Each structure stands twice: as C-alpha cells, then as structure tokens.
Amino acid sequence: LGRAMKSDRANQTSAGLIKVFLHVRRGEYDKALATVDELLARQPGNPMMLNLRGVVYLNSRDFPKASEAFEAALKASPDFVPALYNLGMLAQQRGDIAAAAARYEQVLAINPNEVNALLGKADLALMQGQLEPALAPLLKAVTADPTNVDAHVRLISVYLNLGNTIEAQRQAETLVAQEIGDAVAAATGGDLSQRIPLEGKNEFFT
C-alpha cells in the first residue's frame, strides 16, 4: 500500500510538472502558477517547486517575483543549485556583475562541472571585455560536457577574438566531428533530440 501511495504521488507530481510546462509554453502564466500552488500544497517547502514558481515568473518577465521565489527555494535548501544559478542569471541580466559572480561561484563550489555556471562566469568576463579570463571556464565547460554546442561556439569566438586561429580551428574541427558523429548516431537509431540546444531553450527547470 505504501509503495502504491508513493507511486501515485510521483505520478501526480509528474503530471503537474507537465501541466506547468505546457501552460508556460502557451503563455498561460496564471494557470501555470495555480498548478505550482497545487504541487506546493502537496509538498510544502519543496525547493524544486519553489524554484519552479520562480521559473514561471521568469518566463512572464516578472523578475522581482522570480527573485523572491528563488530566494524562497534557497531558504528551504541553501545548496539548491538551480535556484543559485537562476539568481546569478538574474543578477547578470540586470548588470550586477559582482552579485552574479558570487552566485556562480556558489554553484561551482557545489558542482565544479556545472556547465551553465561556467558559461555564466565566462559571460561575465566577456561583459567586461576580458577575453583571457573567459577561456578557463569555457575550456572547463567543453570538457565537462563535450556535447554542448554553445560552449564550443563561445570558445571558438574567444579564440578568434584573441587572434589564436590555430586553437579556433582545432575547436571548430572538434565541433564538426562531433556533429558528424551525432548525425551518424541518429541515422543508426540514436536519440539525439537533447544534443543541440534550441534557440531560447529554458535551462531553469533542472
């Protein structure tokens, strides 16, 4: 009976998350928030659900309420990486480089290979016109996730702007070889639907 109840709760949660995602995709933010509230009623203080509330506000461009929700997720779980990253991203969007850097460093202290935080750290350097400092996090990002096209493209761009055409070409060849490998895998039945980031892909549901 206990296992059946747990399974039922898990199914309800999964169904609720799908509903939130679909409502957000349709721009139905009030309905998405109502569904998040239902999930939180069943799981009070769950940092994932509190973070999800922030994601809905983020998509509706209500950034103050998004920040409040992410802070609430951290109050529930101080090391909850998605909320830490999201707060860093919000700080970066408003140009608060110091606050963004602090959040990304918190993420990387928990998971040194968190690619989104590594890319964010590189972006902060580039926002300040600092090419060399952007290299280390980008190199670490492509090592942590060799399939991340965005990381490779940014790294190639930095090398080109530094005038290092040899490394830029090497990275480009690595990327091309990877894409060819992906195409071969797809032709042989591999599911590569998650390999190539789509424009505007939302990373914050993690």
Tab-separated table of all heavy atoms in Angstrom, residues 86-121:
chain	number	residue	atom	x	y	z
A	86	ASN	N	19.869	30.465	-11.025
A	86	ASN	CA	18.866	31.394	-11.526
A	86	ASN	C	19.046	32.796	-10.946
A	86	ASN	O	18.866	33.798	-11.640
A	86	ASN	CB	17.464	30.863	-11.209
A	86	ASN	CG	17.097	29.684	-12.087
A	86	ASN	OD1	17.585	29.549	-13.194
A	86	ASN	ND2	16.236	28.820	-11.578
A	87	LEU	N	19.418	32.867	-9.668
A	87	LEU	CA	19.679	34.170	-9.069
A	87	LEU	C	20.906	34.821	-9.690
A	87	LEU	O	20.950	36.040	-9.888
A	87	LEU	CB	19.848	34.028	-7.551
A	87	LEU	CG	18.544	33.799	-6.781
A	87	LEU	CD1	18.832	33.375	-5.347
A	87	LEU	CD2	17.693	35.081	-6.785
A	88	GLY	N	21.910	34.002	-10.019
A	88	GLY	CA	23.080	34.527	-10.702
A	88	GLY	C	22.726	35.070	-12.073
A	88	GLY	O	23.184	36.140	-12.476
A	89	MET	N	21.894	34.335	-12.778
A	89	MET	CA	21.474	34.751	-14.112
A	89	MET	C	20.681	36.054	-14.054
A	89	MET	O	20.874	36.956	-14.879
A	89	MET	CB	20.662	33.626	-14.753
A	89	MET	CG	20.161	33.897	-16.150
A	89	MET	SD	18.568	34.761	-16.169
A	89	MET	CE	17.591	33.670	-15.146
A	90	LEU	N	19.795	36.186	-13.052
A	90	LEU	CA	19.030	37.416	-12.902
A	90	LEU	C	19.946	38.599	-12.604
A	90	LEU	O	19.763	39.699	-13.141
A	90	LEU	CB	17.991	37.262	-11.787
A	90	LEU	CG	16.717	36.493	-12.130
A	90	LEU	CD1	15.845	36.348	-10.890
A	90	LEU	CD2	15.940	37.205	-13.226
A	91	ALA	N	20.932	38.366	-11.733
A	91	ALA	CA	21.889	39.429	-11.412
A	91	ALA	C	22.672	39.830	-12.662
A	91	ALA	O	22.928	41.018	-12.901
A	91	ALA	CB	22.837	38.968	-10.307
A	92	GLN	N	23.038	38.842	-13.463
A	92	GLN	CA	23.760	39.125	-14.707
A	92	GLN	C	22.894	39.952	-15.659
A	92	GLN	O	23.376	40.901	-16.281
A	92	GLN	CB	24.177	37.823	-15.372
A	92	GLN	CG	24.938	38.005	-16.681
A	92	GLN	CD	25.368	36.688	-17.281
A	92	GLN	OE1	25.630	35.728	-16.557
A	92	GLN	NE2	25.452	36.620	-18.588
A	93	GLN	N	21.621	39.613	-15.740
A	93	GLN	CA	20.708	40.342	-16.636
A	93	GLN	C	20.598	41.812	-16.254
A	93	GLN	O	20.476	42.681	-17.123
A	93	GLN	CB	19.327	39.699	-16.628
A	93	GLN	CG	19.222	38.437	-17.472
A	93	GLN	CD	17.775	37.977	-17.598
A	93	GLN	OE1	16.885	38.446	-16.905
A	93	GLN	NE2	17.546	37.032	-18.493
A	94	ARG	N	20.617	42.092	-14.939
A	94	ARG	CA	20.489	43.495	-14.523
A	94	ARG	C	21.841	44.204	-14.418
A	94	ARG	O	21.921	45.348	-13.979
A	94	ARG	CB	19.715	43.601	-13.205
A	94	ARG	CG	20.374	42.980	-11.992
A	94	ARG	CD	19.566	43.245	-10.720
A	94	ARG	NE	20.214	42.692	-9.554
A	94	ARG	CZ	19.962	41.500	-9.038
A	94	ARG	NH1	19.026	40.731	-9.603
A	94	ARG	NH2	20.605	41.065	-7.969
A	95	GLY	N	22.915	43.499	-14.829
A	95	GLY	CA	24.236	44.114	-14.883
A	95	GLY	C	24.988	44.140	-13.574
A	95	GLY	O	26.009	44.821	-13.458
A	96	ASP	N	24.509	43.380	-12.577
A	96	ASP	CA	25.190	43.321	-11.278
A	96	ASP	C	26.222	42.202	-11.336
A	96	ASP	O	25.960	41.069	-10.922
A	96	ASP	CB	24.172	43.081	-10.165
A	96	ASP	CG	24.770	43.276	-8.777
A	96	ASP	OD1	26.017	43.209	-8.649
A	96	ASP	OD2	23.998	43.474	-7.826
A	97	ILE	N	27.397	42.539	-11.856
A	97	ILE	CA	28.422	41.530	-12.111
A	97	ILE	C	28.906	40.874	-10.818
A	97	ILE	O	29.105	39.653	-10.767
A	97	ILE	CB	29.600	42.161	-12.886
A	97	ILE	CG1	29.134	42.505	-14.312
A	97	ILE	CG2	30.797	41.220	-12.941
A	97	ILE	CD1	30.156	43.249	-15.133
A	98	ALA	N	29.076	41.656	-9.769
A	98	ALA	CA	29.581	41.106	-8.505
A	98	ALA	C	28.606	40.093	-7.913
A	98	ALA	O	29.010	39.014	-7.465
A	98	ALA	CB	29.835	42.237	-7.511
A	99	ALA	N	27.313	40.429	-7.927
A	99	ALA	CA	26.310	39.511	-7.370
A	99	ALA	C	26.211	38.246	-8.215
A	99	ALA	O	26.098	37.138	-7.682
A	99	ALA	CB	24.948	40.205	-7.291
A	100	ALA	N	26.260	38.408	-9.536
A	100	ALA	CA	26.189	37.243	-10.424
A	100	ALA	C	27.396	36.339	-10.207
A	100	ALA	O	27.261	35.115	-10.105
A	100	ALA	CB	26.123	37.695	-11.880
A	101	ALA	N	28.574	36.938	-10.126
A	101	ALA	CA	29.793	36.147	-9.929
A	101	ALA	C	29.734	35.373	-8.619
A	101	ALA	O	30.140	34.201	-8.554
A	101	ALA	CB	31.017	37.063	-9.945
A	102	ALA	N	29.213	36.005	-7.577
A	102	ALA	CA	29.121	35.334	-6.274
A	102	ALA	C	28.207	34.120	-6.349
A	102	ALA	O	28.516	33.055	-5.792
A	102	ALA	CB	28.611	36.323	-5.221
A	103	ARG	N	27.078	34.255	-7.052
A	103	ARG	CA	26.146	33.130	-7.177
A	103	ARG	C	26.765	32.003	-8.001
A	103	ARG	O	26.649	30.824	-7.650
A	103	ARG	CB	24.840	33.593	-7.822
A	103	ARG	CG	24.004	34.497	-6.942
A	103	ARG	CD	23.590	33.829	-5.646
A	103	ARG	NE	22.628	34.622	-4.902
A	103	ARG	CZ	22.180	34.313	-3.695
A	103	ARG	NH1	22.615	33.211	-3.092
A	103	ARG	NH2	21.310	35.086	-3.074
A	104	TYR	N	27.437	32.355	-9.102
A	104	TYR	CA	28.048	31.316	-9.931
A	104	TYR	C	29.134	30.578	-9.153
A	104	TYR	O	29.289	29.364	-9.281
A	104	TYR	CB	28.623	31.923	-11.214
A	104	TYR	CG	27.580	32.460	-12.169
A	104	TYR	CD1	27.866	33.552	-12.995
A	104	TYR	CD2	26.311	31.894	-12.253
A	104	TYR	CE1	26.910	34.055	-13.875
A	104	TYR	CE2	25.357	32.397	-13.121
A	104	TYR	CZ	25.666	33.473	-13.935
A	104	TYR	OH	24.709	33.966	-14.799
A	105	GLU	N	29.876	31.320	-8.330
A	105	GLU	CA	30.920	30.673	-7.523
A	105	GLU	C	30.297	29.736	-6.492
A	105	GLU	O	30.863	28.680	-6.186
A	105	GLU	CB	31.796	31.723	-6.833
A	105	GLU	CG	32.703	32.501	-7.781
A	105	GLU	CD	33.699	31.613	-8.525
A	105	GLU	OE1	34.008	30.504	-8.039
A	105	GLU	OE2	34.169	32.034	-9.594
A	106	GLN	N	29.136	30.112	-5.956
A	106	GLN	CA	28.433	29.217	-5.028
A	106	GLN	C	28.053	27.917	-5.724
A	106	GLN	O	28.195	26.830	-5.162
A	106	GLN	CB	27.176	29.896	-4.479
A	106	GLN	CG	27.428	30.935	-3.399
A	106	GLN	CD	26.119	31.533	-2.913
A	106	GLN	OE1	25.536	32.420	-3.550
A	106	GLN	NE2	25.636	31.058	-1.782
A	107	VAL	N	27.556	28.049	-6.944
A	107	VAL	CA	27.184	26.857	-7.718
A	107	VAL	C	28.404	25.979	-7.956
A	107	VAL	O	28.366	24.762	-7.752
A	107	VAL	CB	26.553	27.257	-9.069
A	107	VAL	CG1	26.364	26.024	-9.952
A	107	VAL	CG2	25.210	27.949	-8.846
A	108	LEU	N	29.498	26.596	-8.383
A	108	LEU	CA	30.696	25.834	-8.741
A	108	LEU	C	31.381	25.232	-7.517
A	108	LEU	O	32.092	24.236	-7.635
A	108	LEU	CB	31.664	26.728	-9.516
A	108	LEU	CG	31.132	27.165	-10.896
A	108	LEU	CD1	32.038	28.216	-11.507
A	108	LEU	CD2	30.991	25.965	-11.821
A	109	ALA	N	31.154	25.822	-6.343
A	109	ALA	CA	31.683	25.221	-5.112
A	109	ALA	C	30.965	23.911	-4.807
A	109	ALA	O	31.542	22.984	-4.228
A	109	ALA	CB	31.523	26.194	-3.944
A	110	ILE	N	29.699	23.825	-5.209
A	110	ILE	CA	28.910	22.609	-5.002
A	110	ILE	C	29.170	21.611	-6.122
A	110	ILE	O	29.341	20.413	-5.888
A	110	ILE	CB	27.410	22.962	-4.935
A	110	ILE	CG1	27.139	23.876	-3.742
A	110	ILE	CG2	26.555	21.695	-4.841
A	110	ILE	CD1	25.774	24.535	-3.770
A	111	ASN	N	29.184	22.108	-7.355
A	111	ASN	CA	29.425	21.258	-8.531
A	111	ASN	C	30.368	21.990	-9.485
A	111	ASN	O	29.930	22.828	-10.273
A	111	ASN	CB	28.110	20.933	-9.241
A	111	ASN	CG	28.334	20.079	-10.487
A	111	ASN	OD1	29.452	19.621	-10.749
A	111	ASN	ND2	27.284	19.860	-11.255
A	112	PRO	N	31.667	21.679	-9.423
A	112	PRO	CA	32.653	22.392	-10.249
A	112	PRO	C	32.435	22.231	-11.746
A	112	PRO	O	33.007	22.999	-12.532
A	112	PRO	CB	33.987	21.752	-9.823
A	112	PRO	CG	33.728	21.159	-8.487
A	112	PRO	CD	32.298	20.707	-8.516
A	113	ASN	N	31.631	21.258	-12.146
A	113	ASN	CA	31.404	20.998	-13.567
A	113	ASN	C	30.021	21.437	-14.045
A	113	ASN	O	29.567	20.999	-15.100
A	113	ASN	CB	31.598	19.510	-13.864
A	113	ASN	CG	33.032	19.078	-13.675
A	113	ASN	OD1	33.963	19.780	-14.064
A	113	ASN	ND2	33.238	17.916	-13.062
A	114	GLU	N	29.369	22.315	-13.291
A	114	GLU	CA	28.053	22.812	-13.699
A	114	GLU	C	28.235	23.752	-14.897
A	114	GLU	O	28.723	24.874	-14.763
A	114	GLU	CB	27.378	23.540	-12.533
A	114	GLU	CG	26.121	24.303	-12.870
A	114	GLU	CD	25.107	23.490	-13.629
A	114	GLU	OE1	24.770	22.377	-13.189
A	114	GLU	OE2	24.649	23.975	-14.693
A	115	VAL	N	27.850	23.267	-16.063
A	115	VAL	CA	28.160	23.970	-17.311
A	115	VAL	C	27.494	25.340	-17.386
A	115	VAL	O	28.109	26.315	-17.825
A	115	VAL	CB	27.761	23.109	-18.530
A	115	VAL	CG1	27.904	23.899	-19.827
A	115	VAL	CG2	28.625	21.858	-18.585
A	116	ASN	N	26.247	25.446	-16.950
A	116	ASN	CA	25.568	26.742	-17.032
A	116	ASN	C	26.298	27.807	-16.229
A	116	ASN	O	26.429	28.961	-16.670
A	116	ASN	CB	24.126	26.614	-16.541
A	116	ASN	CG	23.243	25.879	-17.522
A	116	ASN	OD1	23.431	25.987	-18.728
A	116	ASN	ND2	22.281	25.128	-17.017
A	117	ALA	N	26.772	27.435	-15.041
A	117	ALA	CA	27.507	28.400	-14.217
A	117	ALA	C	28.853	28.735	-14.846
A	117	ALA	O	29.311	29.881	-14.774
A	117	ALA	CB	27.704	27.846	-12.808
A	118	LEU	N	29.501	27.752	-15.451
A	118	LEU	CA	30.769	28.013	-16.136
A	118	LEU	C	30.561	28.982	-17.305
A	118	LEU	O	31.349	29.917	-17.505
A	118	LEU	CB	31.381	26.705	-16.632
A	118	LEU	CG	31.927	25.776	-15.541
A	118	LEU	CD1	32.210	24.390	-16.110
A	118	LEU	CD2	33.196	26.362	-14.915
A	119	LEU	N	29.500	28.774	-18.076
A	119	LEU	CA	29.194	29.685	-19.177
A	119	LEU	C	28.842	31.076	-18.650
A	119	LEU	O	29.233	32.097	-19.239
A	119	LEU	CB	28.052	29.133	-20.023
A	119	LEU	CG	28.345	27.847	-20.800
A	119	LEU	CD1	27.105	27.398	-21.571
A	119	LEU	CD2	29.513	28.027	-21.749
A	120	GLY	N	28.117	31.107	-17.544
A	120	GLY	CA	27.786	32.395	-16.938
A	120	GLY	C	29.033	33.141	-16.495
A	120	GLY	O	29.157	34.354	-16.687
A	121	LYS	N	29.966	32.406	-15.895
A	121	LYS	CA	31.223	33.013	-15.455
A	121	LYS	C	31.999	33.575	-16.648
A	121	LYS	O	32.560	34.680	-16.578
A	121	LYS	CB	32.049	31.972	-14.709
A	121	LYS	CG	33.272	32.512	-14.009
A	121	LYS	CD	33.945	31.428	-13.177
A	121	LYS	CE	35.190	31.965	-12.504
A	121	LYS	NZ	35.865	30.909	-11.685
